[in-house]
Amino acid sequence: MISSIFEKTKPINFIIVLVFLFLFYWSVQFYLLDYTFTDIEIAPSIVVLSILLFSVFVVDFVVKRNKLTGTNSFAILFFTLLFVVFPETLGDSNAVFTSFFLLLAMRRLLSIKSLKNIKLKIFDAGLWICISSIFYEWAILYLLLVFAAIYIYDPKNIRNWLVLLSVGFSFFMILYGVMVLLDEVSFMIIHYDFAINYDAIFPIKWWSSLKLSLYALLNMALAFSTFIHLGKAGMGKVIIMRLIALSFIIGIVVNFLVTSENTSAVMITFFPSVIFIVNYLESIKKPKFLEAILIAGILVPILVFVTKL
């Protein structure tokens, strides 16, 4: 039944996912994070929620445009379910904004495979990544993805590498100008200190660490399965999956580096995780087994959330 609903892209699928995510967001704020109506600033919360909901459409667009999965809605379903597994990330507005801008960067980065307007796409991807670093400075590590894409698709054109210098210069000048107008020039020095909060990382919280470890291991297994099944799919799809795998690895590293009492950046790994999950589901040939996996994929996140709650 679940597979019959989400195996095709329908407007009702977006309605189901968006309504659930809307209700779940507020549930997390009031019940998990113990906020009251007086604690929540309505306008900023609406902005964060709007970005979160719009991210669902961006995920679907990137997946469909680059043919990362089949023509189904499993990607937006599991993108939403991952929030149930990691509800604490909905309490971190910086994670929402960082994830959104990284999605926009991935949209441009994956489109480089067409070998059209490469320099423009490199510039756009690099700029979106730099913007995401405003919220988490360590997100700048995602520029490694841009380097990887250039090396894979067009490494001999020196101008592609020089574009990254123009990205850095443009971002610095724009950000500096904005900070001067806001009289917050010190923000750049304070924010981009690339400090690691060891006191927040250690001692390790067993529940969060166990959950994140199982999540990382599961994605490693799914990635391995994906690459095996893509052996006959052509080198183009394999290269894209390598970039997505690198994106997941960088995301885990960034999540570790920005760890503190008030941050949970695991959301930035949801997009590559979803791609691996859906590709595994599409490799299942038995309808009953697929249905069982989908039911488990819905019940397990809910169980994890209820256990934490």
Side-chain angles (χ1 to χ4, degrees), residues 26-44:
W26 292 114
S27 298
V28 169
Q29 305 303 311
F30 291 119
Y31 296 106
L32 184 65
L33 302 178
D34 293 325
Y35 289 149
T36 62
F37 285 102
T38 56
D39 295 328
I40 294 180
E41 298 181 11
I42 299 300

Side-chain angles (χ1 to χ4, degrees), residues 22-301:
F22 176 86
L23 296 175
F24 186 72
Y25 175 82
W26 292 114
S27 298
V28 169
Q29 305 303 311
F30 291 119
Y31 296 106
L32 184 65
L33 302 178
D34 293 325
Y35 289 149
T36 62
F37 285 102
T38 56
D39 295 328
I40 294 180
E41 298 181 11
I42 299 300
S45 296
I46 291 176
V47 172
V48 172
L49 180 58
S50 299
I51 292 295
L52 185 65
L53 296 177
F54 188 64
S55 295
V56 174
F57 292 99
V58 177
V59 168
D60 184 73
F61 176 82
V62 175
V63 167
K64 298 294 191 300
R65 186 64 178 268
N66 295 281
K67 299 180 180 179
L68 301 178
T69 67
T71 55
N72 53 61
S73 298
F74 291 143
I76 60 173
L77 171 64
F78 282 94
F79 181 74
T80 303
L81 289 173
L82 284 175
F83 286 106
V84 183
V85 179
F86 298 98
E88 60 276 6
T89 196
L90 291 176
D92 185 358
S93 58
N94 285 336
V96 176
F97 285 109
T98 302
S99 174
F100 176 71
F101 288 117
L102 289 176
L103 279 173
L104 296 181
M106 287 297 294
R107 181 184 75 87
R108 296 298 281 167
L109 200 59
L110 294 178
S111 65
I112 292 178
K113 71 177 186 298
S114 66
L115 301 180
K116 297 179 180 178
N117 301 318
I118 293 180
K119 288 182 284 296
L120 179 59
K121 293 174 181 177
I122 292 172
F123 184 89
D124 289 348
L127 188 58
W128 286 127
I129 290 171
C130 288
I131 293 174
S132 73
S133 73
I134 294 176
F135 304 95
Y136 283 134
E137 74 273 25
W138 285 106
I140 204 74
L141 289 177
Y142 273 89
L143 286 176
L144 293 173
L145 270 179
V146 183
F147 282 105
I150 295 173
Y151 179 77
I152 290 172
Y153 290 109
D154 195 12
K156 296 181 179 180
N157 191 338
I158 190 65
R159 287 177 294 181
N160 292 335
W161 301 97
L162 294 177
V163 167
L164 291 174
L165 294 178
S166 66
V167 169
F169 179 77
S170 300
F171 174 72
F172 173 79
M173 294 304 296
I174 294 172
L175 182 60
Y176 181 77
V178 172
M179 291 301 106
V180 168
L181 291 175
L182 297 176
D183 195 24
E184 294 286 348
V185 179
S186 60
F187 168 82
M188 299 179 69
I189 299 174
I190 297 172
H191 180 69
Y192 290 98
D193 60 351
F194 297 100
I196 302 175
N197 190 345
Y198 293 101
D199 292 333
I201 298 174
F202 303 103
I204 298 174
K205 296 180 180 179
W206 76 269
W207 172 253
S208 299
S209 300
L210 175 63
K211 188 165 59 172
L212 186 60
S213 298
L214 291 175
Y215 172 68
L217 290 173
L218 176 62
N219 275 279
M220 288 174 60
L222 292 175
F224 182 74
S225 173
T226 298
F227 281 113
I228 290 178
H229 287 94
L230 286 177
K232 299 179 181 179
M235 199 60 188
K237 187 72 176 290
V238 173
I239 289 175
I240 290 179
M241 286 301 171
R242 286 176 181 173
L243 289 174
I244 291 173
L246 179 59
S247 171
F248 181 81
I249 294 172
I250 295 174
I252 291 293
V253 172
V254 171
N255 178 66
F256 181 78
L257 293 174
V258 303
T259 298
S260 73
E261 291 295 330
N262 301 314
T263 61
S264 179
V266 69
M267 185 191 306
I268 61 179
T269 67
F270 286 1
F271 176 72
S273 177
V274 162
I275 302 305
F276 294 138
I277 292 172
V278 177
N279 273 273
Y280 170 72
L281 292 176
E282 291 177 344
S283 69
I284 299 175
K285 304 301 181 183
K286 298 180 179 179
K288 291 184 178 180
F289 183 59
L290 174 60
E291 190 70 24
I293 293 295
L294 288 173
I295 293 174
I298 294 175
L299 293 180
V300 170

